[in-house]
Amino acid sequence: MTVFALVDANNFYVSCERVFNPRLEGVPVGVLSNNDGCFVARSNELKALGVKMGEPLFKVRDLIRRHNVRVLSSNYALYGDMSARIVDCLSCFTPDIEIYSIDESFLDLTGMEHRDLIEYGQGIRATVKRWTGIPTCVGIGPTKTLAKLANFAAKKALIDGTSVCDLRDQEVRDKLMTRTPVDEVWGIGRRSAAKLTALGVHSVADLRDMDTKRARSLLTVTGERIIHELRGMACMSLDLLEEPQKGLAVTRSFGQPVIGKDELLSALVTYVTRAGEKLRRGGLVAGHMQVFARTSPFRGDPPYSGSGQASVSPATDDTFELIGHATRILDRIWKPGFRYAKAGVILTDLTPRGQAQPSLLDRRDTDRSKRLMAAMDAVNSGMGRGTIRPGMASATKGWGMRQESRTPAYTTQFADVPVVRA
DNA sequence: TCTGGGGTCCTAGGACCC
DNA sequence: TCTGGGGTCCTAGGACCC
């Protein structure tokens, strides 16, 4: 019998901000997506005001002002670093960890059943809180799906209000599932929930008791697997080894609509440059590139979405080669007269650099390219991203990201380290 | 004026092969 | 009038996740 725990940070981005600014405690706080567009993290106080996940900022301006909500731009340097610190804490409890997302990890507790796992979970929470300042909840169950559900219950204080919930017990599970709506299940999104509701499947218990064949025809094998997991039969194991990444994307909405081709190109070159950095950091080369540019679906502008692709052969991590491909793709998809709102580059067919298929016809000076890229990366990591960049990337105008209230990179930039006076 | 970004997995359908 | 069957591979699109 397997036992999994899911450790999930509470309102993670908000909690990170609160660690460095205690004045944010006890008041409504929200963190915005890129471009200061939508809320992607909310404190409990903000949730209580009815602001939903993904709510666009401009739609709730009034409410924000009335309740003096603290609104922050997202600070990924901070959140990424805090996330790594939490994983370090968890590593002290077990080596069997799957880092599931920036604020969630699964732990394999199989074989620890002789211990009081609620107490163990409390120990994890206390350690993470003491060492990083971040509050978490712990969900425990015989399958990943049940550990997820347990975590949900812990967050909502549905079982005993202790922020740790153990769903190994059948009766506890029954009770929770009967009163939990089906769309709270991990893997049941809006579409599937609508299909299920139409068939009279409303609660998690209803889904658990559904005929698996029926579920499969409605929701494919994913749905069938979820039902088995809800019944306590583990279908998913922990991914302890990091799987090689399959694709990589850099896409952004513009701060203002882009009309000219040069401007669009300079945005794309900036994104491709960033994509190249990500490739090299991961020791990867890309064999395929997709580029897209589109108008806004919200503004009522004439719609256009252009997208084109190219195979990158031989596969490369050289920013300038990638820019060449992107430029040619843009030439094919560019249409004048539209107000472009977003563009991006997606790299796929990723392989580890050493493993890439070499080509007999390859006449590139790869050694020179490698040295140039290494030099650029060294300068930019030491002096800040974009210190050295391709010339075409420099024509930043209105497309640059809006970030009106980003907090300092407290933990990753020396200049931003907080000063304590005593 | 202002509506995120970056991933994974699954399936259907087309192309191709013998 | 007749028009196979079965396999693989690839891609686009849908759904979901945080």
Side-chain angles (χ1 to χ4, degrees):
Chain A
M1 169 97 146
T2 51
V3 184
F4 298 123
L6 177 69
V7 183
D8 188 325
N10 303 347
N11 315 331
F12 181 53
Y13 298 170
V14 169
S15 296
C16 289
E17 300 288 352
R18 281 177 168 169
V19 169
F20 293 91
N21 183 358
R23 286 181 195 172
L24 299 174
E25 294 288 350
V27 299
V29 183
V31 175
L32 299 172
S33 63
N34 274 341
N35 253 324
D36 291 348
C38 317
F39 284 93
V40 292
R42 303 152 296 149
S43 71
N44 290 343
E45 299 81 3
L46 187 55
K47 289 176 187 171
L49 289 176
V51 173
K52 298 273 180 279
M53 182 71 175
E55 180 90 65
L57 170 65
F58 75 93
K59 285 193 176 173
V60 289
R61 283 268 193 217
D62 269 2
L63 184 94
I64 295 303
R65 205 170 315 120
R66 265 204 319 278
H67 293 90
N68 193 20
V69 177
R70 315 304 198 280
V71 177
L72 300 168
S73 306
S74 37
N75 182 348
Y76 287 103
L78 176 63
Y79 312 149
D81 186 61
M82 296 300 280
S83 172
R85 291 171 190 231
I86 293 176
V87 172
D88 284 347
C89 296
L90 300 179
S91 310
C92 298
F93 287 87
T94 167
D96 300 328
I97 300 177
E98 174 187 340
I99 302 170
Y100 177 66
S101 77
I102 195 165
D103 74 329
E104 280 173 78
S105 290
F106 284 102
L107 274 51
D108 192 345
L109 303 186
T110 309
M112 294 196 195
E113 291 89 333
H114 59 283
R115 309 184 60 146
D116 179 342
L117 290 185
I118 295 270
E119 200 178 287
Y120 194 71
Q122 291 294 1
I124 294 176
R125 292 191 66 236
T127 305
V128 173
K129 175 73 177 158
R130 189 167 347 109
W131 291 3
T132 69
I134 302 290
T136 54
C137 282
V138 179
I140 298 164
T143 69
K144 284 171 117 176
T145 305
L146 287 170
K148 265 281 199 185
L149 191 65
N151 197 287
F152 166 79
K155 280 242 160 66
K156 302 262 173 184
L158 290 178
I159 300 297
D160 54 11
T162 61
S163 299
V164 178
C165 170
D166 183 353
L167 281 188
R168 282 176 301 164
D169 184 87
Q170 189 75 51
E171 270 179 45
V172 180
R173 229 146 72 190
D174 281 349
K175 216 172 112 196
L176 177 73
M177 288 184 175
T178 313
R179 59 201 178 109
T180 304
V182 70
D183 63 347
E184 298 294 349
V185 174
W186 187 37
I188 301 296
R190 232 187 33 216
R191 303 294 181 126
S192 304
K195 286 184 196 168
L196 289 167
T197 309
L199 294 178
V201 176
H202 300 286
S203 68
V204 181
D206 293 342
L207 178 61
R208 176 200 59 197
D209 299 335
M210 196 177 171
D211 177 60
T212 50
K213 285 210 184 72
R214 193 147 174 251
R216 185 173 184 144
S217 70
L218 192 73
L219 309 172
T220 79
V221 296
T222 329
E224 188 180 355
R225 192 163 53 214
I226 289 171
I227 291 180
H228 286 306
E229 287 246 322
L230 286 175
R231 291 176 185 171
M233 192 178 102
C235 304
M236 288 180 274
S237 53
L238 243 50
D239 296 325
L240 299 178
L241 300 178
E242 207 173 323
E243 294 292 313
Q245 198 178 3
K246 300 187 170 169
L248 174 167
V250 179
T251 71
R252 294 276 181 283
S253 296
F254 303 134
Q256 281 173 30
V258 164
I259 293 166
K261 187 177 176 188
D262 285 350
E263 218 182 326
L264 186 53
L265 179 62
S266 91
L268 270 176
V269 166
T270 306
Y271 303 163
V272 171
T273 303
R274 180 77 193 109
E277 289 168 359
K278 287 184 174 184
L279 276 179
R280 295 190 293 277
R281 172 178 273 253
L284 300 165
V285 292
H288 190 88
M289 171 187 286
Q290 191 182 340
V291 166
F292 72 89
R294 64 165 175 77
T295 54
S296 168
F298 302 109
R299 306 170 50 109
D301 289 343
Y304 173 63
S305 178
S307 139
Q309 36 196 317
S311 59
V312 178
S313 178
T316 189
D317 63 359
D318 180 291
T319 293
F320 294 102
E321 277 183 53
L322 294 171
I323 289 174
H325 287 287
T327 308
R328 287 188 290 277
I329 297 173
L330 179 63
D331 284 337
R332 298 205 308 265
I333 66 171
W334 161 259
K335 283 196 184 166
F338 289 98
R339 295 161 57 80
Y340 292 90
K342 179 176 181 171
V345 56
I346 299 156
L347 301 176
T348 47
D349 278 8
L350 305 187
T351 38
R353 200 198 334 254
Q355 241 167 271
Q357 190 72 256
S359 158
L360 288 172
L361 304 171
D362 189 1
R363 296 204 171 270
R364 302 172 304 169
D365 185 348
T366 49
D367 200 45
R368 180 179 171 274
S369 153
K370 211 181 284 176
R371 290 202 314 270
L372 178 57
M373 291 302 119
M376 274 183 28
D377 290 341
V379 170
N380 287 335
S381 84
M383 306 181 65
R385 192 175 289 159
T387 303
I388 299 189
R389 57 179 186 265
M392 283 168 285
S394 58
T396 314
K397 291 225 180 69
W399 56 263
M401 239 194 325
R402 266 192 314 275
Q403 282 208 315
E404 287 180 4
S405 35
R406 197 181 64 197
T407 50
Y410 298 109
T411 62
T412 55
Q413 286 287 331
F414 274 112
D416 291 350
V417 171
V419 176
V420 177
R421 292 177 218 283

